[in-house]
């Protein structure tokens, strides 16, 4: 069923682009994005054509504390389909809605709990090198800042998308990602379509200047640049010529 919540990670699952081992890890509650996204995945995977994946998702939903589910269902942004799904399971909204939705509702992931300030790029690289795709996805959503900085460049797109679903991802990290020419254009699209992140001028500016940014999106954002950044863009040979030309025209027009 459709839980009424959309995200790039959920879109991957809906398209059927996700390998069985990754679906199984998600069904077991070991992918830990924000609560809306995690529950949407679990509800979707209950109907997975693979019996083991479907059974794992059902089992995970059953071990989530009923009080937590009831509080989540009391939120105004929960879809009617999701309310009906849990009503069939005997769970109704509580009187008090869940306030913290920037955390998973359940976390069964195995792995070290490492404080950000105790991790290094070298140790993170060594740790991730031996991991499977499902294990990397688990670290993408609950691992350290160093792990996210590495996994955002992973050649497997779903791993990088999982980073963008991490509840631990900060605005400073998103700004750094927006500056990376080593990430896929799909990741830059995810940033550009997130309303909260696009409130940050630094992120907008970084996206427009990124040579990997899809041109149509850069053209939509160029009007948000200040005079200084517009002038820098007009001479930036790393971006498409049409973007430089547009910046030059805007400088002349503004005069």
């Amino acid at each position: 069923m459709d839980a009424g919540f959309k995200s790039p990670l959920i879109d991957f699952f809906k398209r059927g682009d996700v390998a069985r081992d990754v679906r199984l890890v998600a069904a077991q509650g070991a992918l830990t994005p924000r609560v809306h996204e995690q529950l949407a995945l679990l509800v979707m995977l209950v109907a997975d054509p693979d019996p083991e994946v479907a059974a794992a998702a059902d089992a995970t939903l059953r071990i989530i504390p009923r009080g937590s589910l009831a509080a989540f269902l009391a939120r105004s942004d929960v879809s009617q389909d999701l309310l009906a799904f849990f009503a069939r399971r005997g769970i109704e909204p509580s009187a008090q809605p869940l306030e913290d939705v920037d955390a998973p509702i359940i976390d069964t992931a195995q792995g070290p709990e490492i404080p950000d300030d105790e991790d290094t790029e070298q140790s993170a690289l060594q740790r991730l090198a031996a991991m499977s795709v499902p294990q990397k996805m688990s670290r993408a959503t609950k691992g350290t800042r160093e792990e996210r900085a590495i996994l955002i460049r992973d050649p497997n797109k779903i791993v990088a998308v999982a980073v963008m679903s991490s509840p631990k991802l900060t605005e400073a990290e998103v700004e750094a990602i927006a500056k990376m020419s080593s990430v896929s254009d799909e990741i830059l699209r995810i940033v550009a379509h997130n309303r909260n992140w696009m409130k940050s001028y630094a992120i907008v500016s970084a996206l427009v200047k990124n040579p990997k940014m899809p041109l149509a999106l850069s053209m939509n954002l160029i009007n948000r640049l200040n005079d200084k950044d517009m002038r820098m863009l007009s001479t930036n040979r790393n971006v498409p010529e049409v973007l430089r030309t547009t910046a030059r025209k805007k400088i002349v027009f503004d005069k």
Side-chain angles (χ1 to χ4, degrees):
M1 66 161 283
D2 189 338
F5 182 80
K6 298 183 182 299
S7 78
L9 186 60
I10 290 172
D11 287 344
F12 257 95
F13 278 79
K14 284 184 176 179
R15 292 200 302 261
D17 295 341
V18 182
R20 179 187 180 276
D21 56 349
V22 175
R23 301 200 315 275
L24 186 57
V25 166
Q28 293 167 340
L31 289 188
T32 55
R34 291 171 174 82
V35 58
H36 285 83
E37 199 167 18
Q38 188 182 41
L39 278 177
L41 288 174
L42 289 170
V43 168
M44 185 192 315
L45 293 170
V46 166
D48 194 273
D50 186 297
E52 186 178 358
V53 173
D58 181 72
T60 301
L61 285 170
R62 292 181 186 280
I63 63 173
I64 297 173
R66 292 175 68 91
S68 297
L69 278 174
F72 173 77
L73 296 176
R75 292 181 56 87
S76 60
D77 54 2
V78 174
S79 71
Q80 290 299 313
D81 285 345
L82 205 57
L83 288 170
F85 174 87
F86 283 106
R88 291 193 294 271
R89 289 174 164 251
I91 303 173
E92 299 289 343
S94 65
Q96 190 69 29
L98 183 69
E99 293 184 2
D100 182 12
V101 293
D102 284 335
I105 199 165
I106 188 170
D107 182 1
T108 64
Q110 302 295 315
E113 291 291 342
I114 306 169
D116 281 342
D117 58 3
E118 293 181 13
D119 202 12
T120 65
E121 183 178 8
Q122 183 177 358
S123 61
L125 279 168
Q126 292 174 343
R127 195 161 54 248
L128 295 170
M131 290 188 183
S132 64
V133 170
Q135 289 171 328
K136 287 181 179 179
M137 289 186 68
S138 179
R139 297 309 297 172
T141 55
K142 72 168 294 182
T144 67
R145 181 175 56 245
E146 291 289 352
E147 288 173 319
R148 291 192 294 277
I150 294 166
L151 293 173
I152 194 65
R153 301 189 296 269
D154 196 274
N156 192 321
K157 283 186 179 180
I158 196 170
V159 174
V161 169
V163 172
M164 305 308 293
S165 292
S166 172
K168 301 174 74 175
L169 190 67
T170 66
E171 187 174 293
E173 288 177 88
V174 175
E175 181 183 343
I177 290 167
K179 294 177 180 177
M180 292 180 184
S181 59
S182 56
V183 299
S184 72
D185 60 350
E186 185 161 0
I187 296 301
L188 298 178
R189 287 179 187 274
I190 290 172
V191 176
H193 287 126
N194 185 296
R195 292 182 180 179
N196 288 330
W197 293 335
M198 296 308 289
K199 293 175 183 177
S200 164
Y201 178 81
I203 292 174
V204 171
S205 175
L207 287 176
V208 177
K209 297 173 187 175
N210 193 319
K212 291 282 285 291
M213 181 70 170
L215 180 59
L217 292 176
S218 294
M219 294 295 285
N220 286 337
L221 295 174
I222 192 172
N223 289 328
R224 294 182 58 182
L225 295 186
N226 60 32
D227 290 344
K228 178 184 176 182
D229 285 331
M230 192 75 78
R231 292 182 184 280
M232 290 176 62
L233 185 68
S234 70
T235 59
N236 185 345
R237 294 192 175 275
N238 291 322
V239 301
E241 171 63 26
V242 65
L243 204 58
R244 296 200 302 273
T245 301
T246 301
R248 285 196 293 269
K249 288 180 179 178
K250 288 184 177 295
I251 291 169
V252 172
F253 179 79
D254 288 344
K255 285 182 177 179

